[in-house]
Amino acid sequence: NAGVTQTPKFQVLKTGQSMTLQCAQDMNHNSMYWYRQDPGMGLRLIYYSASEGTTDKGEVPNGYNVSRLNKREFSLRLESAAPSQTSVYFCASIRDSGSNQPQHFGDGTRLSIL
Amino acid sequence: QQQVKQSPQSLIVQKGGISIINCAYENTAFDYFPWYQQFPGKGPALLIAIRPDVSEKKEGRFTISFNKSAKQFSLHIMDSQPGDSATYFCAASSAGGTSYGKLTFGQGTILTVHP
């Protein structure tokens, strides 16, 4: 059982380049989330998708876009990468966002912007 | 705005000792308080969680203490082991409405347990 799978695991970009981070879950979960993790900041929510066909902004959405491709997949796109977007990105999912349940996380994408 | 404050940032404990990590929250609508454990190169994984209708929850060596009036909760790790060395995050969320299961995380605590 793979759970939440993120690709790629590592990426180095130059300032101004674009890139899409991929996330897929095989648990038939309805809601999916993108977080970024920075030292001393914890995890901060970028975007989320409460259900297939819906997306909404989180705490730090600027510079990012998302697509809920289907129930399994939720991608995060950086249109013009900036050094401030150097971070570790985590995707998470939950079966039903209407009740408190633990989120299941992938192992992250480590992104460096030069 | 950071709605969940976590301390300390780092903690060093000897094997067999007690590790204590504290969190404070501001939003009284929060009604679910999970703790996550993260090992290097891995994503956070749920360790233990509590709802505000109880003051304490214990699972093995891990205990959450919850003080609703003070808006504080803490993680106690008894008989700490080197394998417990990891980063720990407290978090909070609220069910229903427009919350959609979104978690607000504390800043994290790097725990090192010396053998």
Side-chain angles (χ1 to χ4, degrees), chain B residues 6-100:
Chain B
Q6 182 172 346
S7 63
Q9 284 189 315
S10 62
L11 180 62
I12 299 175
V13 175
Q14 293 297 317
K15 178 182 176 181
I18 302 173
S19 304
I20 301 174
I21 304 171
N22 301 299
C23 285
Y25 63 97
E26 300 171 3
N27 188 347
T28 55
F30 288 148
D31 58 5
Y32 177 65
F33 302 90
W35 285 88
Y36 283 83
Q37 180 187 54
Q38 183 183 32
F39 293 105
K42 296 294 186 181
L46 179 71
L47 183 64
I48 186 173
I50 196 169
R51 288 179 170 78
D53 53 342
V54 297
S55 60
E56 185 175 283
K57 182 174 182 180
K58 183 177 181 179
E59 291 185 1
R61 296 184 294 108
F62 301 91
T63 300
I64 299 179
S65 297
F66 186 82
N67 186 329
K68 188 174 182 179
S69 62
K71 292 187 288 185
Q72 295 175 347
F73 58 111
S74 60
L75 176 69
H76 292 64
I77 305 175
M78 311 299 289
D79 187 26
S80 299
Q81 300 296 312
D84 297 330
S85 297
T87 301
Y88 292 81
F89 292 98
C90 62
S93 69
S94 60
T98 58
S99 298
Y100 298 116

